[in-house]
Amino acid sequence: MEQDELKQVCAEAALGHILPKLNPDSILGIGTGSTTNKFITLLANHKDKFQSAVASSEATKQLLDKNGITVSDLNDVNFLDLYIDGADEANSKLELIKGGGAALTQEKIVAAVSKNFICIIDNSKWVNKLGAFPLPIEIIPSSLNFVTKEIKKMGGNPILRHGVITDNGNLIIDVEGLYPIKAPKKMEEQLNNITGIVTNGIFSLRAADIIFIASPDGVTQYKNSSSTCQQIS
Ligand code: 5RP
């Protein structure tokens, strides 16, 4: 099975999981990326079953609009029932690396507001230790020099993602050389404390609640239960 087919199968499984939970007042958070795009296309057939969606990026907002799904501004809602998004890496604590699509800041905000965070990945992203995927970090443009030096002190090798400006008007650096990230929470906090960093792509302080992993053998579902995961199907 190609990776693209696995993403489709995963999106279908996640849709099957959320449909019974929807009601006319539900507001969903919707992530960014190719896996989430497949989910949006499927969700469009059920737009009468929920109120609206909050987008984690301009690209997602456009796709939701195109599919006739009502989009809400995050500042107009108090909480989100569910947030569905992909990831670049996930471990058995359902800690993630995200930001391959440069939308990590809004994704982290949407995740923070959501009662349930459902992550959808193909099995190439399911890893023992995070950090082989270069860690995306959104930075204020004028801080590039300073942040580069600070990250080098931590043993990382930051590479500017050329030609990319985030939805917030900032830059993205991708940090190689951090593998294995032994203490994701600690590293997330440490990076948060560097002046100039807006958001780092470690999602550990707010990890996923449920993950769907598609492999050629089928879709496995794990639930985050007190710092380690439990297979539920
Ligand atoms: C965007 C993300 C995406 O969820 C991540 O890059 C995975 O993307 P895809 O589903 O295309 O593999 O974090 O910022």
Side-chain angles (χ1 to χ4, degrees):
M1 244 181 175
E2 299 288 321
Q3 190 182 28
D4 205 51
E5 282 175 78
L6 292 175
K7 290 180 179 190
Q8 179 67 29
V9 169
C10 199
E12 286 166 8
L15 182 79
H17 171 84
I18 69 144
L19 279 182
K21 302 181 188 332
L22 297 180
N23 66 63
D25 295 326
S26 301
I27 305 178
L28 309 180
I30 305 289
T32 300
S34 54
T35 317
T36 310
N37 288 350
K38 293 182 190 306
F39 179 82
I40 294 171
T41 309
L42 296 167
L43 186 68
N45 298 321
H46 304 275
K47 52 185 169 236
D48 54 325
K49 299 190 176 82
F50 59 99
Q51 191 185 120
S52 62
V54 166
S56 69
S57 64
E58 276 306 311
T60 292
K61 183 185 176 307
Q62 282 176 19
L63 191 61
L64 291 167
D65 279 340
K66 194 175 145 201
N67 280 278
I69 296 172
T70 306
V71 177
S72 292
D73 189 303
L74 190 54
N75 283 323
D76 293 334
V77 306
N78 290 324
F79 66 89
L80 298 168
D81 298 291
L82 298 164
Y83 171 43
I84 300 97
D85 199 357
D88 299 301
E89 281 186 347
N91 69 13
S92 61
K93 290 183 177 172
L94 308 197
E95 297 169 314
L96 314 172
I97 285 188
K98 290 184 50 55
L104 62 163
T105 298
Q106 188 63 11
E107 290 173 341
K108 218 174 238 196
I109 298 168
V110 176
V113 176
S114 295
K115 284 184 173 175
N116 285 291
F117 178 4
I118 298 172
C119 185
I120 49 178
I121 57 167
D122 66 80
N123 61 341
S124 68
K125 287 141 172 217
W126 186 237
V127 297
N128 280 327
K129 298 271 179 209
L130 299 177
F133 188 91
L135 179 66
I137 299 184
E138 178 166 354
I139 63 163
I140 300 291
S142 61
S143 74
L144 177 61
N145 243 331
F146 174 72
V147 171
T148 297
K149 285 182 196 144
E150 291 301 301
I151 286 179
K152 282 187 174 163
K153 283 186 207 162
M154 291 171 65
N157 175 30
I159 296 166
L160 178 66
R161 208 183 288 181
H162 279 287
V164 173
I165 302 290
T166 69
D167 289 346
N168 309 307
N170 295 318
L171 303 176
I172 295 284
I173 52 173
D174 295 299
V175 183
E176 294 177 347
L178 297 176
Y179 182 84
I181 298 177
K182 289 185 185 139
K185 281 191 178 62
K186 199 171 156 202
M187 183 167 283
E188 184 177 355
E189 279 169 348
Q190 206 178 340
L191 289 166
N192 281 344
N193 280 337
I194 297 176
T195 303
I197 289 183
V198 178
T199 310
N200 72 82
I202 301 175
F203 283 56
S204 173
L205 298 167
R206 201 288 179 244
D209 298 304
I210 294 182
I211 195 161
F212 288 82
I213 308 160
S215 76
D217 298 330
V219 180
T220 309
Q221 191 186 340
Y222 291 103
K223 188 178 172 187
N224 204 344
S225 86
S226 59
S227 88
T228 188
C229 68
Q230 210 176 57
Q231 187 166 350
I232 46 178
S233 74

